[in-house]
Amino acid sequence: MRTPERGDDMGLISEVLLLPFAPVRGSAWAIRQVLDEAERIYYDPATVRAELARLEEQLGAGEITEEEFDRQEDELLDRLEIATRTSAGLGNGTAP
């Protein structure tokens, strides 16, 4: 039978002592997952392109001014550039 080493005891003790904080750690993990997914969608090139198309429709329908179109288009193109750079940097082949 193996006797526990000192490191094993410390791991067990720290787990027992941190147990009351498990819900907080779990909540933090869940929040990180939600934020990561929201950011992924926000910078998704397909999402940005769809928003650009909708913006052009709004301009064509007279729902927004040229100035508003230019401002929003610049923001969307910035997002698209960030998404493209990030995808290219990851080397995952998702860049458009």
Side-chain angles (χ1 to χ4, degrees):
M1 182 166 152
R2 182 175 97 89
T3 56
E5 297 178 20
R6 182 173 174 91
D8 292 340
D9 289 340
M10 292 306 292
L12 179 60
I13 291 170
S14 65
E15 284 298 316
V16 170
L17 291 176
L18 294 175
L19 190 58
F21 298 105
V24 173
R25 290 189 320 216
S27 296
W29 177 86
I31 290 169
R32 276 193 308 274
Q33 297 305 308
V34 169
L35 289 175
D36 288 347
E37 181 64 11
E39 186 173 294
R40 187 193 64 76
I41 292 169
Y42 182 77
Y43 288 108
D44 179 43
T47 301
V48 176
R49 287 187 189 103
E51 289 183 33
L52 280 168
R54 189 173 64 244
L55 189 62
E56 289 176 4
E57 289 173 3
Q58 289 175 329
L59 178 64
E63 297 173 6
I64 59 173
T65 65
E66 280 282 339
E67 293 80 22
E68 182 64 17
F69 173 84
D70 289 340
R71 186 186 64 74
Q72 289 185 34
E73 181 187 43
D74 286 345
E75 291 174 8
L76 290 169
L77 291 175
D78 288 345
R79 279 174 44 195
L80 189 59
E81 182 181 344
I82 291 168
T84 303
R85 272 189 285 142
T86 302
S87 294
L90 294 174
N92 62 7
T94 58

